[in-house]
Amino acid sequence: MIGVEVQRLGIGELAIGHNPHVLGCVGLGSCLAIALYHPPRRLGGLAHAMLPRREEFAKTGAANNPAKFVDSAIDALVAALQDLGCPRTQLQAKVVGGAQMFPVLAQRMDIGRRNIEAARERLRALGIPIVAEDTGGSRGRTMYFDLTTGTVEVKYAPGKAGIRI
Amino acid sequence: MNPEERDALSESGNIGAGHAATALSDLLGTKIMNGVTSSRLCPLHEAPGAMGEEDEVMCGVIMGLERGLGGAIMMLFPEADAITFYNLLTGRINTTAGGRDFVDAMAEVGNICICSYLNALAEMFDLRVFPTPPGVAIDMVGSLLDGTLANFNATADEVLIIQTRFTEGDHAIRGFFLLFPDAPSLDLILKKLGVRR
């Protein structure tokens, strides 16, 4: 990926990219990175979502940013890709994150698990297959989504081997 | 916030960190000094970047807050600083963070720092505070923070960050207190500071 522009997304951001772009999310804990890819055109989008469902926060000001929520972020990515001529039925999803960083607080903080469930549910409803995922557990993750190949590189804290999915 | 209000908030950090230094001195049997280097109320999405790179490895100790003040409080030490603390505590010369002993020791250090700060906050603002037992994780700072932001700050959008520096002899140890009040608790603190009515 040397020489290729890498665009990092913060919490509550999403972006559309195309070959030879690389999109990434650094330091994911319970947050979820959802990558949608359209292989024929090498177009895709990535969202860095923090909370599972938008409607749960509809009454607060927090709901004004769709990219902050897993379900509405997926909808926004699909809409943007469809506008660019990528039919929903040809999209593939990869999902990374949703960890529980402090297992001792699992009863109070289960947002990671809920984020993963929200993504699976929304993608299933839209008929978009999850072709790969690296989710759950109690480790932080950094991910880079290569729009040339659709490959997602997942890295853990320094000193630990990463994976490609 | 105006400068007086910011000072009041910083002062709670000063007092709390001072108490923490005293308690740590007792625990370690050596003189630990402390100073607050900065304090700020920060939009939540800027919080990870406010302490360094999002993938910088830190040791985080978290305690949930119940009843009187709701939300969570976290103490973060950059990896090298956590190792310094551990070595001071155990007399060892570790060069890596991790393992059961390390986690247990940092839980204790974090517990002492956090409870000292909470006592200062409770006295200053006349609040009752009930923390849960501590949880420890060593990972990228962004990863340590996002779940806490999501769980305790979903409806608010600010986090209080107090940066402190403990010193022991030639050792300087950086640490960050992060207070994630839930929306009613943040309102309460700001009201007590006279920021919101």
Side-chain angles (χ1 to χ4, degrees):
Chain A
M1 284 190 265
I2 293 164
V4 175
E5 184 190 347
V6 178
Q7 186 182 351
R8 285 181 171 198
L9 306 184
I11 294 171
E13 291 183 338
L14 63 79
I16 300 296
H18 57 81
N19 173 29
H21 235 106
V22 174
L23 300 171
C25 297
V26 175
L28 294 161
S30 67
C31 279
L32 203 63
I34 305 120
L36 295 186
Y37 192 56
H38 184 251
R41 298 190 54 197
R42 296 185 178 184
L43 262 164
L46 181 68
H48 185 163
M50 179 167 78
L51 294 161
R53 292 178 178 84
R54 192 179 187 184
E55 67 175 20
E56 291 175 31
F57 300 89
K59 285 177 186 149
T60 73
N64 54 16
N65 174 11
K68 204 161 145 182
F69 305 91
V70 170
D71 61 351
S72 50
I74 290 171
D75 290 348
L77 285 176
V78 170
L81 289 169
Q82 281 184 325
D83 282 351
L84 292 169
C86 305
R88 192 176 80 192
T89 52
Q90 295 175 4
L91 297 176
Q92 297 179 344
K94 294 185 181 178
V95 180
V96 175
Q100 165 60 268
M101 300 304 295
F102 295 96
V104 70
L105 295 184
Q107 282 194 320
R108 292 166 61 91
M109 296 175 50
D110 64 343
I111 208 89
R113 179 184 60 75
R114 288 167 55 208
N115 281 339
I116 298 165
E117 284 173 5
R120 288 178 183 155
E121 186 184 297
R122 193 77 198 122
L123 290 166
R124 193 185 314 122
L126 292 167
I128 299 171
I130 299 177
V131 294
E133 66 176 282
D134 181 33
T135 56
S138 59
R139 284 202 290 179
R141 298 171 172 93
T142 285
M143 64 85 78
Y144 293 105
F145 176 29
D146 184 348
L147 275 304
T148 305
T149 57
T151 303
V152 169
E153 185 180 0
V154 183
K155 296 179 168 182
Y156 308 101
K160 295 173 181 129
I163 57 170
R164 281 170 181 274
I165 60 172
Chain B
M1 276 200 291
N2 65 37
E4 288 80 31
E5 290 148 357
R6 198 181 302 276
D7 286 350
L9 216 50
S10 297
E11 187 57 18
S12 74
N14 259 324
I15 295 169
H19 290 188
T22 305
L24 288 170
S25 299
D26 290 346
L27 180 73
L28 301 175
T30 175
K31 184 73 183 161
I32 304 257
M33 303 294 287
N34 173 269
V36 170
T37 52
S38 75
S39 87
R40 61 187 287 208
L41 201 57
C42 174
L44 71 83
H45 64 276
E46 290 176 13
M51 282 165 294
E53 291 295 316
E54 287 168 341
D55 52 358
E56 182 178 351
V57 174
M58 294 203 186
C59 175
V61 183
I62 190 169
M63 298 170 85
L65 301 175
E66 291 170 343
R67 293 178 282 177
L69 191 66
I73 182 164
M74 191 186 284
M75 184 88 212
L76 281 171
F77 299 102
E79 189 177 26
D81 301 83
I83 292 169
T84 304
F85 244 135
Y86 177 76
N87 289 345
L88 281 174
L89 189 62
T90 59
R92 294 180 193 162
I93 315 169
N94 265 34
T95 52
T96 56
R100 184 64 187 270
D101 280 0
F102 189 90
V103 165
D104 287 350
M106 292 315 293
E108 190 54 31
V109 167
N111 193 8
I112 289 171
C113 292
I114 287 171
C115 288
S116 302
Y117 174 65
L118 286 176
N119 282 335
L121 205 64
E123 273 175 37
M124 204 163 161
F125 298 124
D126 191 25
L127 297 166
R128 287 168 64 86
V129 185
F130 300 90
T132 65
V136 180
I138 301 155
D139 215 308
M140 293 178 277
V141 64
S143 313
L144 296 176
L145 285 178
D146 67 3
T148 314
L149 296 170
N151 274 279
F152 298 111
N153 236 37
T155 54
D157 54 4
E158 287 153 311
V159 51
L160 172 65
I161 302 178
I162 296 171
Q163 184 174 353
T164 73
R165 199 150 82 144
F166 297 100
T167 51
E168 190 274 335
D170 295 336
H171 303 289
I173 302 167
R174 290 175 300 154
F176 302 90
F177 288 99
L178 286 91
L179 182 65
F180 303 89
D182 58 18
S185 301
L186 180 62
D187 263 354
L188 186 65
I189 292 172
L190 293 178
K191 263 180 203 152
K192 300 225 177 205
L193 283 170
V195 182
R196 283 181 194 163
R197 294 177 220 298

